[in-house]
């Protein structure tokens, strides 16, 4: 794959990484492809990464739909919608190239471990199935013929053979299977022998595991009898097995020499893709600096902080100390929600002073780091708050409170923590169930819904997103209350301040004078 023409040697080596044993003719029809050949067209580094991120948005969306319990046809509809949104190039003539290039870049990114390969294989197969199912029958047949996928079709004699003790023929049993799938019209046509209605393919059952698992196919002597409308499962099975072999081959080549050869150019980009956060980075303040007042932090924490940030905030209030990673995660989160630099300096100074830290030690060890995170020292980089994936992937040790509680808490601890936040019991059960399935972000989204009494349409991918969506709900409630108060003819609260709540932890933090 000649990804970068200027460095021809490494481009040739890079081309070998995605090549697998295959016929030289690429099996492709429109946007359907088995991706046997990597594209040979030149691509710049920027497009290399951008195309991969666009495809990653599609695969992540498919993952989210499945995790939310979407039915198979709903997942396919979601996949088609996401593909139309993200996999089309600015120039329609480049659509096929973008599709191929993005697939092979992600194949590199997700070939490196068994877990990554399994994830990529599952969601790429879902995307392929959605696209194949969307094609008209003639296009499906043409693609199968081009791919050399020729399956044995049941003959009339075989369908009329009596295979049941009652003397019922095979076609009657196949009609019964279609009835169990609620395909009543298809079952009736099979019984009436409508031309073309008895189109069944006979294949080894291993080729259609999804149909076998969902009991949507008739099995006999190790053979599965697949109806013409379910042919997508046959093709997807072939796609899946071929891609699985290709990922293993790619993994070996990547580890043996390509990663080292591309260490200064492509390797950092490729290795970062599998943990890439795709939403806004919240590097700029969500609200004007200073709008989040220091005195409001305790109340906002218990109204709108995600559990990861609330856990650190409460620990800081209790112990007046946080480890370095915890200070980074909480500090950048507070910056992202609108806490000004001056307020941040006062906040941390106050908490450390309560823990007995001398003023000179605070100035020497912490003031610079706080200013640095706001882009006021060093290279003057405005550091972005940590995303959910970054928080999840952090490895807190013994006695450390940073990290994702949905990953680090046991079932009982998580249940107790969410109960204290007055999350609805049903939502707590849903959040714990997601946690037990290692769907940590979905567990957080379930808790958000239980705490706010409405659906979290966007999902949760970032702690600052959790806060932002929460404030939208609280702000809407506040406006509704003010409208009701105004309609009643009584003075309302100032629209510039959020309503107060009475709880012990809502005591104002007293700023300490700065020198």
């Amino acid at each position: 794959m000649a990804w970068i023409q200027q460095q021809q040697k490494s481009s040739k080596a890079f081309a070998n990484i995605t090549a697998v044993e295959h016929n030289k003719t690429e099996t492709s029809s429109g946007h359907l492809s088995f991706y046997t050949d990597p594209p040979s067209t030149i691509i710049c580094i920027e497009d290399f990464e951008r195309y991969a991120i666009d495809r990653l948005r599609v695969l992540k969306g498919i993952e989210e739909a499945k995790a939310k319990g979407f039915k198979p046809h709903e997942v396919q509809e979601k996949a088609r919608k996401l593909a139309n949104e993200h996999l089309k190039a600015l120039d329609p003539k480049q659509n096929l190239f973008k599709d191929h290039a993005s697939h092979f870049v992600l194949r590199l990114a997700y070939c490196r471990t068994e877990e990554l390969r399994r994830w990529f294989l599952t969601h790429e197969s879902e995307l392929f199935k959605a696209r194949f199912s969307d094609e008209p029958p003639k296009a499906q047949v043409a693609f199968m013929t081009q791919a050399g996928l020729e399956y044995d079709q049941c003959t009339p004699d075989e369908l009329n053979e009596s295979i049941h003790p009652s003397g019922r023929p095979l076609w009657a049993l196949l009609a019964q299977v279609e009835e169990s799938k609620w395909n009543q019209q298809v079952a009736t046509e099979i019984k009436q022998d409508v031309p073309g209605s008895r189109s069944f393919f006979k294949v080894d059952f291993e080729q259609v595991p999804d149909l076998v698992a969902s009991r949507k196919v008739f099995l006999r002597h190790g053979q599965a009898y697949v109806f013409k409308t379910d042919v997508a499962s046959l093709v997807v099975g072939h796609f899946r097995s071929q891609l699985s072999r290709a990922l293993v081959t790619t993994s070996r080549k990547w580890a043996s020499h390509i990663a080292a050869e591309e260490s200064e150019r492509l390797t950092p980009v490729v290795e970062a893709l599998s943990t890439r956060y795709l939403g806004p980075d919240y590097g700029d303040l969500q609200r004007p600096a200073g709008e989040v007042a220091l005195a409001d932090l305790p109340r906002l924490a218990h109204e709108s902080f995600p559990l990861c940030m609330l856990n650190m905030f409460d620990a800081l209030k209790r112990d007046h100390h946080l480890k370095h990673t915890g200070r980074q995660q909480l500090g950048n989160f507070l910056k992202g929600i609108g806490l000004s630099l001056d307020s941040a300096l006062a906040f941390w100074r106050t908490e450390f002073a309560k823990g007995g830290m001398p003023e000179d030690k605070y100035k020497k060890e912490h003031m610079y780091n706080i200013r640095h995170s706001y882009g006021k020292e060093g290279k003057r980089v405005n550091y972005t708050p940590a995303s959910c994936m970054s928080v999840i992937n952090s490895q807190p040790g013994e006695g450390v409170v940073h990290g994702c509680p949905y990953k680090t808490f046991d079932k009982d601890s998580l249940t107790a923590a969410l109960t204290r936040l007055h999350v609805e019991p049903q939502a707590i059960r849903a959040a714990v169930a997601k946690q037990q399935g290692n769907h940590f972000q979905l567990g957080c989204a379930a808790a958000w819904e239980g705490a706010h009494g409405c659906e979290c349409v966007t999902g949760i991918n970032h702690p600052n997103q959790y806060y932002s969506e929460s404030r939208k709900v609280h702000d809407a409630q506040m406006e509704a209350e003010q409208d009701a108060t105004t309609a009643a003819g009584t003075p309302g609260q100032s629209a510039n301040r959020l309503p107060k709540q009475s709880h012990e932890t809502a005591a104002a933090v007293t700023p300490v004078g700065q020198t």
Side-chain angles (χ1 to χ4, degrees):
M1 189 191 310
W3 293 102
I4 308 295
Q5 189 180 34
Q6 288 82 349
Q7 299 191 32
Q8 191 173 10
K9 274 189 177 180
S10 59
S11 292
K12 288 181 179 178
F14 195 54
N16 292 330
I17 191 170
T18 49
V20 295
E21 295 300 323
H22 61 277
N23 295 327
K24 294 300 181 183
T25 303
E26 169 71 13
T27 304
S28 176
S29 175
H31 55 219
L32 286 177
S33 176
F34 279 151
Y35 304 104
T36 52
D37 285 324
S40 57
T41 309
I42 301 164
I43 184 173
C44 65
I45 289 288
E46 290 76 13
D47 286 345
F48 179 96
E49 185 175 18
R50 181 166 57 86
Y51 287 178
I53 290 174
D54 284 346
R55 192 180 197 91
L56 196 54
R57 293 183 192 279
V58 177
L59 302 186
K60 292 280 190 181
I62 293 173
E63 178 189 35
E64 183 178 343
K66 293 177 67 178
K68 286 184 174 181
F70 282 26
K71 295 179 180 179
H73 72 276
E74 293 174 328
V75 173
Q76 291 184 25
E77 181 60 34
K78 180 72 171 180
R80 285 191 286 267
K81 180 180 179 181
L82 290 169
N84 288 332
E85 182 179 352
H86 297 294
L87 293 183
K88 288 185 176 180
L90 296 177
D91 181 356
K93 296 179 181 178
Q94 294 294 313
N95 285 346
L96 184 60
F97 172 70
K98 180 178 181 179
D99 179 59
H100 277 58
S102 62
H103 170 87
F104 278 98
V105 176
L106 288 189
R107 187 185 291 188
L108 290 176
Y110 283 84
C111 74
R112 295 173 292 120
T113 69
E114 178 63 31
E115 183 179 0
L116 291 177
R117 289 193 292 271
R118 189 184 308 115
W119 186 92
F120 183 68
L121 185 63
T122 297
H123 299 99
E124 271 289 327
S125 297
E126 287 287 353
L127 175 59
F128 179 86
K129 184 175 184 178
R131 287 173 152 182
F132 184 85
S133 301
D134 204 35
E135 292 291 320
K138 286 186 178 180
Q140 291 180 350
V141 172
F143 180 78
M144 292 171 63
T145 301
Q146 184 182 0
L149 302 179
E150 298 180 1
Y151 300 105
D152 293 335
Q153 191 165 3
C154 294
T155 64
D157 290 341
E158 189 173 4
L159 289 170
N160 288 318
E161 179 185 356
S162 297
I163 63 171
H164 194 268
S166 64
R168 298 172 68 190
L170 176 59
W171 64 259
L173 297 175
L174 296 176
Q176 185 177 341
V177 171
E178 294 305 313
E179 286 178 336
S180 70
K181 295 157 55 179
W182 301 99
N183 292 337
Q184 189 59 50
Q185 181 178 352
V186 171
T188 301
E189 291 177 353
I190 293 174
K191 293 176 183 178
Q192 296 174 353
D193 198 11
V194 175
S197 64
R198 297 184 178 180
S199 297
F200 284 87
F201 297 92
K202 186 171 62 174
V203 300
D204 292 337
F205 77 92
E206 294 97 333
Q207 296 188 42
V208 285
D210 57 332
L211 295 180
V212 174
S214 56
R215 298 188 169 206
K216 293 182 177 180
V217 67
F218 181 78
L219 299 179
R220 183 191 181 205
H221 301 321
Q223 298 287 300
Y225 291 80
V226 181
F227 189 55
K228 60 183 179 180
T229 56
D230 292 324
V231 72
S233 292
L234 289 172
V235 184
V236 171
H238 185 83
F239 174 86
R240 188 182 181 93
S241 61
Q242 181 170 292
L243 179 56
S244 179
R245 292 192 299 270
L247 284 168
V248 173
T249 302
T250 303
S251 177
R252 290 170 183 164
K253 293 183 177 181
W254 176 260
S256 64
H257 60 282
I258 300 300
E261 291 176 6
E262 297 287 345
S263 60
E264 296 183 0
R265 188 171 58 125
L266 297 179
T267 298
V269 175
V270 168
E271 292 183 344
L273 283 171
S274 61
T275 56
R276 185 67 177 262
Y277 167 65
L278 303 177
D281 61 16
Y282 298 96
D284 296 325
L285 300 179
Q286 293 177 23
R287 302 182 179 210
E291 182 167 323
V292 173
L294 205 54
D296 286 333
L297 275 184
R299 175 178 52 79
L300 292 174
H302 288 265
E303 282 183 357
S304 298
F305 280 22
L307 188 56
C308 55
M309 297 300 153
L310 179 60
N311 191 41
M312 288 186 283
F313 184 85
D314 285 346
L316 179 63
K317 287 289 184 179
R318 180 185 67 245
D319 304 328
H320 311 297
H321 174 73
L322 279 181
K323 295 288 188 180
H324 175 72
T325 303
R327 295 196 302 271
Q328 280 188 324
Q329 291 181 359
L330 180 59
N332 286 333
F333 169 81
L334 294 176
K335 179 184 68 173
I337 69 173
L339 190 68
S340 68
L341 173 58
D342 288 342
S343 293
L345 290 169
F347 171 73
W348 291 102
R349 175 189 280 112
T350 299
E351 293 306 322
F352 290 151
K354 289 180 180 178
M357 181 180 292
E359 178 73 9
D360 59 342
K361 182 177 181 180
Y362 165 77
K363 289 182 178 180
K364 183 178 180 180
E365 298 182 5
H366 299 286
M367 182 180 287
Y368 177 88
N369 290 334
I370 297 169
R371 290 178 54 81
H372 189 270
S373 69
Y374 275 77
K376 302 300 182 181
E377 300 288 354
K379 295 181 179 179
R380 302 191 181 275
V381 175
N382 187 23
Y383 287 89
T384 58
S387 67
C388 282
M389 285 306 300
S390 179
V391 174
I392 290 170
N393 290 331
S394 60
Q395 300 294 332
E398 186 70 24
V400 176
V401 295
H402 66 264
C404 176
Y406 296 90
K407 180 180 179 181
T408 59
F409 283 15
D410 59 30
K411 180 179 179 180
D412 292 338
S413 297
L414 181 60
T415 300
L418 295 179
T419 301
R420 288 193 296 271
L421 293 178
H422 306 292
V423 176
E424 296 174 354
Q426 184 177 355
I428 293 177
R429 290 192 293 271
V432 171
K434 295 299 183 184
Q435 178 213 32
Q436 297 299 300
N438 293 329
H439 300 299
F440 308 123
Q441 290 167 252
L442 293 176
C444 188
W448 188 99
E449 292 176 349
H452 296 83
C454 57
E455 183 182 3
C456 183
V457 179
T458 60
I460 299 298
N461 297 295
H462 200 292
N464 290 76
Q465 177 203 5
Y466 183 108
Y467 176 88
S468 179
E469 295 300 320
S470 174
R471 294 322 305 164
K472 290 177 184 178
V473 174
H474 284 286
D475 289 349
Q477 291 174 347
M478 182 181 69
E479 290 179 5
E481 291 172 2
Q482 290 174 341
D483 290 343
T485 301
T486 302
T490 56
Q493 287 180 305
S494 171
N496 295 323
R497 296 297 299 272
L498 296 170
K500 297 286 184 181
Q501 287 189 355
S502 57
H503 49 69
E504 291 182 3
T505 56
V509 178
T510 305
V512 176
Q514 299 181 37
T515 55

